[in-house]
Structures are given as structure tokens and as C-alpha cells.
Amino acid sequence: MDFTPTPEQRAARELAASIFGDLSTHERLKAAGTGCDPELWKTLCASGLPGAVEEVGLLGLVLLLEEQGRTTAQVPYASTCAYGLLPVAAHGTDEQRARLLPGLRDGTLVAAGAFPPRAATAIRDASCDAQGGWRLTGTFPAVPWLREATHVLVPARLPDGVETGCFLAEAGAARSGGPVGPVAPVELTAPWSAGRLTLAGAPAERLGDADTCASVLAVARTAFAGLQAGVCAGSLARAVEYTTSREQFGRPLAANQGVMLRAADAYMDTEAIRVTAYEAAWRHDERLPARTHALTAAWWASEAGKRVVHAGQHLHGGMGADLDHPVHRHFLWGRQLDAYLGSGPELLEELGELLTDGDREAA
């Protein structure tokens, strides 16, 4: 395997680093509150970075999300790519791709995902054939970036009661009530513009086949693990800067062995998150089985991620207890990603079941 970025991936990452570094400042993040930074999202989309994901692949997306995580930029980039652009490109019909991909590429369409799966129910309804012939019913307590979304990808149990399919519903109607909504704002640990999704016979169109949900979930886990790698790298960079410049008893804090060991552990955890996310993304792009690798990346991002952001805050000493300090934002994002990806024992249980179910080829 080779994780060396291609020239296209390297150029996209450098552009993302420049945009996030210039516009996702501490002052702008404070002004954005818990919502999206519309000016940053507009600039990001004008640069062509959402659409570039189709060319740079999932590994390229992981590299781009690392740059977002370093600055905790408040834009629905991960959700739009993981739950919109990539699933539609991979599993959509020709008509769906022609209708949805242009808007997902230029940012006029924003996608959210009701994942990890907590399936709604889907029924066939000939009266809504124009919307795909399906209606969805169910409730999802907290969907990240739902307040910004035009579309939401929903896992729903099919009428046979056994299989789960992926369905795309328009979320824009939620703002004015109707079968989707209205969306009730929900505040998460991280400022991800989340909302409570209530589906009451909402018209929807099916995306892909019976294997689509598992594929979407594996891609999303890999993408958000990449985001966590960036969050941890940003937290650690702030801790290193602080401990090397802050002096105590005539020498930098970083000269203390305890500080060095804590930072070294955080560095190794961050690298473990990064390399497992890279491997899962590379295997996906090479069309190799990657579900177990996505679970492995998610486990490292969840378990190691919270250790890193705790260390980053701890290494700031009393400054780390300041809720307005930039490092606290990394702490909030790291803990939110830990919760969103799932607890370590849950992920290990799922991984164990996948490894022992006999279907190793699909894993």
C-alpha cells in the first residue's frame, strides 16, 4: 500500500490548508456561535474543493478533512461529502447523479446523514412516484448539520422488515413544517448546527441497493476519523506551542519529563488515528474490502481521540480550563467525534461480529 498523496491530492490539501488557515480564525469561530460560517462555506465551494473529492477519492477527502479539523472550521464539509456527494456518485442512478451532483459540487445543496444507523421505516407509496415512490417515518434525536441541509440521507427498514435501505429526503421542507419536520435545533458538544429529524410519511427516493447502507457507513466512519486526526493534530500543535513558550522556574514547561511523555503519547495516538484512516481510505479507493478497516479507524479515532484532546487541554494547565481558549474548541470537537463514531466497546463488538461471521471477503 502507498499513502503518498498524488499531485492532485497534494494540491487540494494545500488549497484547503490555506483557506481554513486564513478564514477559520478564533475570532470568526466565536462570531459563528454554534452554526455554520457561511462566508467560509461560500469560499470553500467557490474554490471547487467539494467537487474535487470525486477526483481525489476518499483518501483525498481524509487529507482535506484533516485540514478542517486542525482549525475546527464550522462548515458542513464532511457531511456533504460523506452523505451526499460520494454516495450519490457511487450508488445513484444516472438521473440522480445528473440532478444532484452539480449542486453538491458547488455547495448549493448541503447533505446531512442520519447515521450511525437508527433506522426509520419505509413504505411504498404510488402517490409520491415523483419523489421516488417511498415514504419514511421515524425520529432521529440529533443529526449533525441538519439545520444547514437541503437533503438528508436516511437508513430505513424496508417493508420486508429484514433489509435496510438508504433513502434521500429533502430537508428544506423542514424549515416550514410538513412531513419532514419542522427541525428542532439541538446543541451538541461541538457546534455542528444539529437538529432533531422527525419523519412523518416524508417522501423520499431510494439510493442504491441493499449494500448501500454498509458502504455509506464505512465511508463516513473513515471520513470522520480523518477529521478527528486533524482535530487531534491541531490540539497537539497548540499544546506544543504553549509548553515551549511558557516558562516555569526559569525553563520552558516542555523541558519537564512529564510534559514530554504526555505529549509523546498524544503524538503516537494521533499518528495511529491518521494511519488507520489512511489505510481504510486507500483500500476503499483501490476497491478492496475495507469495512473492518473503517471500523478500526473509527475505534482509534474514538478511543485515542479523546485521550489526545484531554492531553491537549491538560498540558495548557490553568489556561486549558478557560472555555474561551482556542484549545477548548478542539476538546469539544474531539469529544463530539468520540460520541458520534461510537464507544470503543460498541465498535469492537461490531468488528468482532464482522470478523467471525464468515464473510471475510466483504469485510
Side-chain angles (χ1 to χ4, degrees):
M1 63 187 71
D2 184 4
F3 303 151
T4 305
T6 64
E8 293 78 13
Q9 290 170 339
R10 189 179 298 110
R13 180 176 62 183
E14 290 172 357
L15 178 57
S18 175
I19 293 173
F20 288 132
D22 290 344
L23 296 183
S24 186
T25 62
H26 180 54
E27 292 71 26
R28 288 177 65 96
L29 289 170
K30 287 181 66 175
T34 61
C36 175
D37 183 337
E39 197 62 33
L40 174 56
W41 180 240
K42 181 180 178 180
T43 302
L44 195 69
C45 294
S47 73
L49 282 176
V53 172
E54 291 177 271
E55 298 179 15
V56 300
L58 184 55
L59 180 55
L61 176 59
V62 166
L63 294 172
L64 296 172
L65 291 177
E66 273 193 84
E67 299 305 326
Q68 180 185 359
R70 289 179 199 275
T71 60
T72 59
Q74 289 175 206
V75 288
Y77 191 37
S79 67
T80 294
C81 292
Y83 297 127
L85 195 144
L86 289 179
V88 171
H91 305 288
T93 63
D94 290 342
E95 187 277 332
Q96 287 173 324
R97 288 195 290 267
R99 172 166 46 90
L100 297 170
L101 285 179
L104 291 167
R105 290 171 184 145
D106 65 21
T108 55
L109 298 183
V110 174
F115 285 78
R118 174 181 172 150
T121 56
I123 61 170
R124 270 287 192 185
D125 187 348
S127 67
C128 63
D129 277 339
Q131 288 79 29
W134 294 89
R135 290 191 179 274
L136 306 179
T137 299
T139 301
F140 297 83
V143 177
W145 301 107
L146 183 63
R147 300 198 316 252
E148 312 295 336
T150 59
H151 292 75
V152 57
L153 194 62
V154 181
R157 189 75 66 188
L158 297 177
D160 62 12
V162 178
E163 292 186 350
T164 299
C166 258
F167 295 84
L168 201 60
E170 292 188 9
R175 293 170 176 78
S176 58
V180 186
V183 167
V186 174
E187 299 306 332
L188 303 179
T189 302
W192 284 1
S193 198
R196 178 183 176 89
L197 177 63
T198 303
L199 303 165
E205 55 185 310
R206 188 168 181 187
L207 190 69
D209 54 25
D211 295 325
T212 300
C213 269
S215 174
V216 169
L217 184 56
V219 167
R221 280 169 166 162
T222 304
F224 281 95
L227 185 63
Q228 180 75 302
V231 170
C232 292
S235 174
L236 184 57
R238 291 188 182 279
V240 169
E241 180 183 10
Y242 178 79
T243 55
T244 53
S245 60
R246 173 83 177 204
E247 290 191 357
Q248 188 178 56
F249 305 118
R251 64 176 187 169
L253 288 174
N256 294 304
Q257 188 178 41
V259 172
M260 288 190 284
L261 291 174
R262 191 77 190 275
D265 286 342
Y267 174 80
M268 294 302 296
D269 274 337
T270 301
E271 288 302 296
I273 299 169
R274 177 181 288 118
V275 73
T276 52
Y278 284 5
E279 182 181 15
W282 178 84
R283 291 183 66 88
H284 174 274
D285 291 343
E286 294 294 316
R287 302 186 183 281
L288 297 170
R291 288 174 59 191
T292 56
H293 301 79
L295 273 165
T296 302
W299 183 85
W300 274 104
S302 175
E303 289 292 289
K306 62 188 171 191
R307 289 198 297 265
V308 174
V309 295
H310 272 274
Q313 190 156 343
H314 186 203
L315 288 173
H316 278 75
M319 296 296 292
D322 183 356
L323 301 185
D324 291 327
H325 195 283
V327 76
H328 186 66
R329 190 173 289 108
H330 290 272
F331 175 78
L332 295 178
W333 277 62
R335 291 314 309 258
Q336 182 62 57
L337 282 162
D338 163 37
Y340 184 66
L341 288 166
S343 70
E346 290 176 337
L347 293 169
L348 287 180
E349 181 181 10
E350 186 178 345
L351 179 59
E353 291 174 354
L354 195 60
L355 290 172
T356 57
D357 69 0
D359 187 17
R360 295 294 299 276
E361 292 297 319

